[in-house]
Amino acid sequence: MGWLLQIIVNAAVLLIIAHFFQGVEVASISSAIMASVILAIVNLIVKPILVVLTLPVTVITLGLFLFVINAVTLMLTASIMGSSFVIQGFGLAIVVAIIFAILSALIHSFIVDPLTKR
């Protein structure tokens, strides 16, 4: 049940980001859910490989390089989704990755965690 809640939260965050940034486009709610599922799969398979390969750079930058890895996973998800999920440019993908992490953490801290602890 937790993974389904994570997919829904990620889809909502993608829709929020797409609403506020012109370079990010999500075609529909179903596209946001599908992008969230693909992002979860990419984070499960590709992200650990990227983290291990870039470990020295991540350590040198005190973990800030993880935002670049998150941007890569977002761009990979956008390329898999085609025209229904678009991020225009890698710089914007880094900004989206940072905002995505912040919004996800806030939603989990203030909404999801209190509701699931009942």
Side-chain angles (χ1 to χ4, degrees), residues 46-58 66 69:
V46 177
K47 188 176 179 180
I49 297 168
L50 290 175
V51 168
V52 169
L53 290 176
T54 62
L55 193 60
V57 176
T58 304
L66 290 174
I69 293 173

Side-chain angles (χ1 to χ4, degrees), residues 94-113:
I94 292 175
V95 172
V96 167
I98 293 168
I99 294 172
F100 189 90
I102 292 169
L103 283 177
S104 291
L106 288 174
I107 289 173
H108 275 283
S109 294
F110 294 115
I111 298 172
V112 175
D113 291 343

Side-chain angles (χ1 to χ4, degrees), residues 37-90:
V37 168
I38 292 173
L39 183 63
I41 293 169
V42 168
N43 281 338
L44 186 69
I45 298 170
V46 177
K47 188 176 179 180
I49 297 168
L50 290 175
V51 168
V52 169
L53 290 176
T54 62
L55 193 60
V57 176
T58 304
V59 170
I60 290 172
T61 61
L62 302 175
L64 292 177
F65 195 74
L66 290 174
F67 288 121
V68 174
I69 293 173
N70 288 341
V72 168
T73 60
L74 280 170
M75 291 296 287
L76 184 59
T77 301
S79 67
I80 292 170
M81 287 289 295
S83 62
S84 55
F85 176 55
V86 177
I87 299 176
Q88 297 175 354
F90 190 71

Side-chain angles (χ1 to χ4, degrees), residues 1-28:
M1 187 68 174
W3 59 272
L4 181 62
L5 195 56
Q6 182 68 34
I7 297 293
I8 292 170
V9 168
N10 285 349
V13 169
L14 284 176
L15 288 170
I16 291 168
I17 290 173
H19 179 73
F20 287 106
F21 286 92
Q22 274 188 319
V24 180
E25 299 173 16
V26 179
S28 64

